[in-house]
Amino acid sequence: MVNHLTSNYFTSQRQAFEKNLPLIDDIHSQDAIHDIRVSLKKIRTLFMLFEFIAPEKFNSKIYFRSLRRLFRQVSVIRDLQVQQNLIKEMADISDGDCAGFIDFLADLETRERKKLEQWLTGFVLPDMNAYQAAVDTFSEEMDEGLFNEKLTAFINEKLMIIKSKSTGIPDDETLHDIRRLLKEARFMIDLKCAGNTDKLQVPELHKAIKAAEEILGKWHDMTIGAIFMRDYIADHSTQDQSPPEYCNNFLSYHLEEKERLEKVSIAAINGIISDFK
């Protein structure tokens, strides 16, 4: 049962990764980078679970090393894609033509894509068949009862770490960490649900985590948007030009939304961890 559960989980993420990898440098396939990042996050979390269960047998950092480098290479491009889409949707708050800022973001994406293209020429894809074999071998040797116990403990540990990080008013770095930890907990709840017939309580936790993630996702977008807008304003200053009038409106909106979403996210997080002691 353990082998079937984890093998299917890894296989589905591997297939998503391998399907989208050939599209990674296609500017018209925006979803490819997003889907690659999600599949890699899920593979990394599965490897982390294995290390949590038996650290003497499985080192997640070693297994994920090559894939982590790819994950980092596409991160900025994904942020730039999201921001370009957002600014087009939020034109009503700009009080003017946002074309200059959109062009600025598009130019940054072009530069990052060139860097990615150069990096990919030296990238060697790890042997995914060997990864599959490692997953299957580890799972075959794992007692089902122990696996389920450790899987629950892994999820609970993530929530306990979140609780320890949620004291006071978390800074940006802490909220980014909490967002990652919530995803890791949710991914493994998905795995647990796939092999668990008693699903009465787990979906409620999953739903609460997903809701908090969505708030933190919007918070992240506002945080990154403010950074890029500040860069755009600074770029005009170096060229002895005044930035367009809408820039300050746009920046103010992002900072206000960032602060609002921070408070909402903290409330959502506290609702999740309140029962953990």
Side-chain angles (χ1 to χ4, degrees), residues 135-233:
V135 168
D136 292 346
T137 298
F138 184 90
S139 302
E140 286 170 357
E141 297 174 352
M142 178 56 55
D143 174 77
E144 184 175 344
L146 178 61
F147 175 80
N148 290 329
E149 177 184 330
K150 290 289 188 178
L151 177 56
T152 299
F154 180 85
I155 296 168
N156 289 342
E157 182 182 74
K158 297 298 177 183
L159 297 175
M160 287 300 297
I161 295 173
I162 290 170
K163 185 169 186 175
S164 70
K165 288 178 173 288
S166 300
T167 56
I169 301 177
D171 56 20
D172 287 0
E173 183 178 354
T174 301
L175 284 177
H176 281 297
D177 286 343
I178 289 174
R179 184 180 177 220
R180 171 183 55 79
L181 289 162
L182 285 171
K183 288 182 183 294
E184 290 168 359
R186 179 171 58 84
F187 294 157
M188 292 300 95
I189 291 173
D190 287 336
L191 180 63
K192 183 176 181 178
C193 286
N196 187 2
T197 56
D198 181 13
K199 302 178 181 180
L200 296 179
Q201 295 183 352
V202 173
E204 291 302 318
L205 177 58
H206 185 285
K207 183 178 179 179
I209 290 176
K210 184 66 176 177
E213 280 185 61
E214 290 177 356
I215 297 168
L216 282 170
K218 294 176 181 178
W219 168 86
H220 171 82
D221 293 341
M222 294 299 106
T223 302
I224 297 301
I227 291 172
F228 283 132
M229 179 52 77
R230 286 191 176 114
D231 290 344
Y232 181 58
I233 293 172

Side-chain angles (χ1 to χ4, degrees), residues 1-122:
M1 177 62 179
V2 173
N3 177 262
H4 177 74
L5 193 65
T6 53
S7 179
N8 284 353
Y9 188 88
F10 178 81
T11 298
S12 64
Q13 303 314 317
R14 172 188 177 179
Q15 289 174 344
F17 172 73
E18 292 178 335
K19 174 185 176 181
N20 287 283
L21 187 60
L23 304 174
I24 195 172
D25 56 355
D26 184 352
I27 195 170
H28 301 295
S29 298
Q30 285 200 6
D31 289 341
I33 285 180
H34 170 264
D35 291 345
I36 284 174
R37 282 172 53 79
V38 171
S39 62
L40 290 181
K41 287 176 185 178
K42 291 184 177 182
I43 289 173
R44 179 184 63 190
T45 305
L46 181 65
F47 289 172
M48 290 169 62
L49 171 66
F50 284 178
E51 182 173 10
F52 179 82
I53 294 173
E56 73 283 359
K57 294 182 179 180
F58 205 98
N59 187 313
S60 63
K61 291 183 178 179
I62 290 177
Y63 273 97
F64 196 71
R65 183 176 296 156
S66 296
L67 294 174
R68 183 179 66 245
R69 292 168 184 163
L70 176 63
F71 182 84
R72 289 178 175 175
Q73 287 293 325
V74 300
S75 296
V76 176
I77 295 176
R78 181 57 189 168
D79 282 337
L80 287 163
Q81 288 176 336
V82 170
Q83 291 304 317
Q84 288 174 79
N85 292 332
L86 281 177
I87 188 61
K88 293 172 184 177
E89 296 172 1
M90 297 163 56
D92 58 324
I93 69 162
S94 68
D95 295 332
D97 185 3
C98 303
F101 185 47
I102 295 175
D103 289 344
F104 174 78
L105 295 173
D107 182 59
L108 288 177
E109 182 182 353
T110 298
R111 296 180 197 176
E112 290 298 322
R113 284 188 174 277
K114 287 181 179 178
K115 292 179 184 178
L116 176 62
E117 183 179 358
Q118 294 174 352
W119 182 83
L120 285 172
T121 60

